Amino acid sequence: MKVVLAFDKFKGSATAQQLNEAAQEGLRGLGDVTVVSVPVADGGDGTTAVLAAGREGEWVMVPTTAPLLQLDPVAASYFLCDDGTALIEVAAASGLALLPDCRRDVMRATTLGTGLLMRDAMERGSRDIVLGLGGSATCDAAMGILCALGAEFLDADGHHLYPCGESLEHISTIETLGIPPTVRDCRFTLLTDVDNPLCGKRGTARVFAPQKGATPGQVEQLERGMLHVVGIVGEQIADQPGCGAAGGIPALMMHLLDCRLMPGAPYVLSHNGLAQAMDGADLVITGEGRLDAQTLMGKGPGCVIKMAQQRGIPVAAVCGAVDPGLDPLATGLAAAIAVSDGLPHDLAMDTGGTLSRVGSAVYNLVCTLE
């Protein structure tokens, strides 16, 4: 029996690599089972590690700025491939996980640190940058990134604006003369883990800013800022699905630089060897922190489920939690197992406990379906 393991992260608890290793360890005692492990990501935090696993190159550690400049600098890393491609994720330098809950300040948070990572990669010769957008603490529409790359944002009086969300509605002029040819020669692939637009009910301010600490009044200020950005970049960019990712990073980047915006999960799955791993498989097991309707709308495990079903391979999910309103049979899953339902939050999020429960659940699942 050939089993393919294709776990995404359990956010805040375990990485995709850890979960796949735990599941593989859980099946080690089954002598008649061949196991292939292929970690999955969807453009959010952890995407760089998943993409790097199949590439030749090196990890580069860079001291850079935190999402809030009053905090200590962070040591963030990216992966520089031997072919010159740089794999970077916003969460590494500008991620919400870098801030204690009490320090979340989406109005002043900036993507400047991410831009400095990108500039470092360019200085090392990269002209092809893949940027995973998920997990940001910011809502600055890439003002910080672009400042790090040489752009300047001025208000109506010609004063420089600090690159953050509260400055968006005050942008009068964007000076681009400082963007060097090395930046203009780069190609940027932006990987989104959501399909939200820039503005409106499903826009970045109203949907994601509250998760990053915004008050209702600040949400409306950020929405005004995003509408102001629409006036700069034009509806053709702002209405694109995914433009609301990571606090609107795609909007200004696509306006000023050579960018392509892509859903993260299909991109990752086209590069991590999952299609080849499924050849001859008898069972595919995937999972993430919570299995719900959104899982099937372009997230990593949802794409895994779709790929397996298209090949006629039974597919099951082992997750932290399963939405009670989701009928696994209606999704075509052979099984859906929740390993942390009913546990206190601290136990549910404990990495060691999570990995142990996943390993046991996978073992029991395979024994049942074998």
Side-chain angles (χ1 to χ4, degrees):
M1 181 183 191
K2 180 179 179 180
V3 178
V4 176
L5 303 173
F7 280 85
D8 201 340
K9 64 185 176 298
F10 285 16
K11 192 166 187 175
S13 179
T15 67
Q17 290 84 352
Q18 289 174 321
L19 291 160
N20 279 272
E21 290 169 3
Q24 190 163 6
E25 183 64 28
L27 297 177
R28 195 173 299 279
L30 297 178
D32 57 344
V33 175
T34 299
V35 180
V36 180
S37 175
V38 185
V40 171
D42 60 7
D45 32 344
T47 295
T48 297
V50 170
L51 287 173
R55 307 287 290 270
E56 297 293 328
E58 63 174 342
W59 286 96
V60 179
M61 185 74 72
V62 180
T64 188
T65 58
L68 297 175
L69 295 192
Q70 64 265 39
L71 299 181
D72 292 337
V74 297
S77 60
Y78 67 90
F79 192 80
L80 185 60
C81 303
D82 286 350
D83 66 5
T85 302
L87 308 176
I88 303 175
E89 58 188 53
V90 172
S94 311
L96 193 61
L98 297 173
L99 301 177
D101 289 352
C102 62
R103 298 300 299 271
R104 293 182 179 183
D105 184 358
V106 69
M107 303 304 293
R108 298 290 292 176
T110 179
T111 56
L112 183 65
T114 297
L116 294 175
L117 288 184
M118 296 162 69
R119 193 171 77 183
D120 184 87
M122 294 175 205
E123 289 172 352
R124 295 173 189 265
S126 178
R127 296 295 178 267
D128 188 356
I129 293 178
V130 179
L131 184 65
L133 297 183
S136 78
T138 59
C139 201
D140 72 354
M143 282 184 73
I145 287 174
L146 292 166
C147 281
L149 300 182
E152 297 175 285
F153 294 84
L154 309 178
D155 66 14
D157 295 322
H159 298 137
H160 284 85
L161 291 168
Y162 175 72
C164 64
E166 71 178 9
S167 296
L168 291 172
E169 63 181 330
H170 303 295
I171 298 172
S172 178
T173 304
I174 304 177
E175 291 286 356
T176 60
L177 291 177
I179 299 177
T182 52
V183 175
R184 297 189 182 280
D185 289 343
C186 279
R187 184 187 188 193
F188 301 89
T189 301
L190 309 180
L191 303 182
T192 69
D193 60 345
V194 297
D195 64 356
N196 299 68
L198 194 63
C199 305
K201 291 182 179 179
R202 295 189 64 249
T204 190
R206 294 209 165 102
V207 174
F208 301 116
Q211 302 170 13
K212 304 174 185 182
T215 66
Q218 289 172 336
V219 167
E220 294 310 310
Q221 183 179 349
L222 289 169
E223 178 70 7
R224 292 196 303 271
M226 294 301 168
L227 287 169
H228 185 67
V229 170
V230 168
I232 296 171
V233 305
E235 295 286 345
Q236 74 282 1
I237 290 179
D239 287 345
Q240 281 193 340
C243 254
I249 282 176
L252 285 174
M253 280 196 69
M254 294 177 70
H255 179 60
L256 296 177
L257 303 174
D258 179 11
C259 298
R260 57 173 179 164
L261 185 63
M262 300 184 66
Y267 179 91
V268 172
L269 296 188
S270 70
H271 286 77
N272 71 349
L274 183 60
Q276 296 89 335
M278 285 188 181
D279 289 343
D282 300 293
L283 175 66
V284 174
I285 302 175
T286 188
E288 64 176 343
R290 179 178 174 83
L291 180 71
D292 55 27
Q294 289 193 358
T295 301
L296 307 175
M297 298 172 64
K299 288 198 171 184
C303 290
V304 173
I305 292 168
K306 184 177 180 180
M307 285 179 64
Q309 291 174 339
Q310 288 174 340
R311 290 162 171 78
I313 306 169
V315 57
V318 175
C319 302
V322 177
D323 187 338
L326 186 71
D327 180 4
L329 295 179
T331 67
L333 288 168
I337 300 170
V339 299
S340 300
D341 266 357
L343 293 177
H345 183 264
D346 57 340
L347 293 180
M349 300 301 289
D350 176 70
T351 300
T354 295
L355 297 177
S356 177
R357 292 190 297 274
V358 166
S360 297
V362 168
Y363 173 85
N364 293 330
L365 176 63
V366 171
C367 289
T368 301
L369 297 178
E370 191 175 6

